[in-house]
Amino acid sequence: MNNNSSDLGEGIKRNREEEDDITSTDRLSHLQRFVINSILSFLDPRSAVQTSVLSRAWRCAWKYVPVLNFRRDSFDKYSSFLHYADRVLSLRFRLDVDTVSYIDDDRTILPFSNVVKYDLSHEAQHLVIDLLNGESMFYSFRFCYLFGTDLNCNLKTLKLRRVSLDTKCDFSGFRMLTDLTLEQSFLISVEDEDVDPFSGFPCLKNLVLTQCLHSDFGNLSSKRSFKISGSQLVNLKLDRLLPTRIEICAPELKFFTLVHDLEFLNFSNLSIPSLVHADIRVSDEEKSMAIKKELKMQRLISFFQGLNSLTSLKLDNYSIQVLSNIDTEFLEQQTSPFTKLESLMVGAVTVRSALLHYFLKGSSSMTPKVEYGYV
């Protein structure tokens, strides 16, 4: 009797486990296509293909996913990575893609260019390219090798890392691009005239340049400027951009972030009449005597003169430390350009009264707000 009861109990337990398995499988099978696509979009193609064993509904689901993430570090051998990328592109259903991310640490251009051609021919709107080619940006791929010279695409956002960009390239083919990010890239200019590389993007609204080096950097005899212009540009971030001289001409620019070393701060012209908010993070880590302290401070004050339309200004603690080195007498002689300033946020807990007076004395606001110690 006891044995029969035990067998019966084990049988009921097994039936419940089987029912749970069936219920779990049914749940996976009855998920809607957009839910499955959303789940698979977070995976690289290799992991996405492996989900085909979950249920019949998932068997070919990876072929529909509009987001493709290719990562070299998912494979032990580079040859396996190349083979897998080719297989995914050849077996995938011929539907448009939305977002493509390609991260590679090899210097072989052919497989990557094949991926780019596939993406652009399938109406991709968002593209991320991260080419981890060693430690130096001088090993980066040429932009024209990646995209070709005859380009007409629907990309809306483009993020490039370690790519060499010829500033004379024709970018008119990016007719719908609104967001461009360049990181650790090399900006090349061969001719002696001023360069204006981003004016060729007709719809560009957001531009981020991080640790990018211009071919003029270090050439103190060069008289040409590196221009950043855009009739539609609204948001600009410059994080340690290193040309010799910078100009900005963006009539619709509203938000500006600058991360820079005072040693290389040299803005020859700022034409940004619609600017509302600026986030300035200036340090003085370079101790070279190539530029004297007085000239550094003059350039910094001159830079502030170009921000005269601001209503909100943010200065981190390093910026306050740098500004605190300005002689009080020199600072009192300067006219404050901040006639519209309503809000000043500083990373320091305290600020010299002369420095605070410089920022606030020109404001037309009766009670400009000052916030200390922001993080």
Side-chain angles (χ1 to χ4, degrees), residues 221-357:
S221 64
S222 176
K223 301 299 182 183
R224 66 179 174 183
S225 294
F226 184 90
K227 294 183 177 180
I228 299 174
S229 64
S231 59
Q232 304 291 323
L233 196 60
V234 175
N235 187 14
L236 174 63
K237 180 177 181 179
L238 304 181
D239 186 347
R240 288 158 290 178
L241 173 67
L242 295 178
T244 301
R245 186 179 292 103
I246 303 174
E247 292 185 26
I248 302 177
C249 181
E252 300 298 323
L253 190 68
K254 298 289 193 302
F255 307 98
F256 178 37
T257 298
L258 178 70
V259 182
H260 217 63
D261 191 285
L262 191 60
E263 180 81 8
F264 310 117
L265 186 73
N266 189 4
F267 286 81
S268 58
N269 181 45
L270 291 174
S271 179
I272 41 180
S274 300
L275 191 66
V276 173
H277 175 77
D279 184 353
I280 309 301
R281 310 171 201 174
V282 178
S283 60
D284 193 11
E285 298 176 359
E286 292 289 337
K287 303 304 180 183
S288 169
M289 297 303 293
I291 299 179
K292 294 181 179 180
K293 173 184 173 182
E294 292 77 10
L295 179 57
K296 289 182 181 181
M297 299 307 167
Q298 289 174 3
R299 286 181 174 179
L300 184 56
I301 293 298
S302 176
F303 167 72
F304 282 133
Q305 295 293 326
L307 307 181
N308 52 25
S309 65
L310 284 180
T311 60
S312 173
L313 175 61
K314 182 183 288 188
L315 299 166
D316 73 343
N317 188 42
Y318 289 107
S319 299
I320 295 299
Q321 291 178 20
V322 170
L323 289 164
S324 297
N325 293 324
I326 301 178
D327 294 334
T328 299
E329 183 178 354
F330 174 78
L331 198 59
E332 291 176 344
Q333 294 174 354
Q334 306 304 312
T335 302
S336 177
F338 304 108
T339 59
K340 301 179 181 180
L341 194 64
E342 298 175 359
S343 174
L344 175 63
M345 292 169 281
V346 295
V349 177
T350 59
V351 181
R352 281 173 52 201
S353 57
L355 183 57
L356 193 61
H357 182 64

Side-chain angles (χ1 to χ4, degrees), residues 150-202:
D150 185 15
L151 183 63
N152 189 14
C153 68
N154 292 324
L155 282 177
K156 292 183 178 179
T157 66
L158 177 61
K159 183 176 181 179
L160 304 175
R161 185 166 182 256
R162 294 189 182 275
V163 172
S164 292
L165 184 71
D166 189 336
T167 57
K168 286 298 182 181
C169 281
D170 180 10
F171 302 116
S172 59
F174 292 92
R175 63 186 186 282
M176 299 180 66
L177 193 75
T178 59
D179 295 70
L180 175 62
T181 298
L182 294 178
E183 294 184 3
Q184 299 179 20
S185 294
F186 190 42
L187 307 171
I188 303 171
S189 301
V190 179
E191 301 176 7
D192 293 332
E193 59 190 34
D194 292 346
V195 295
D196 192 0
F198 307 108
S199 60
F201 295 92

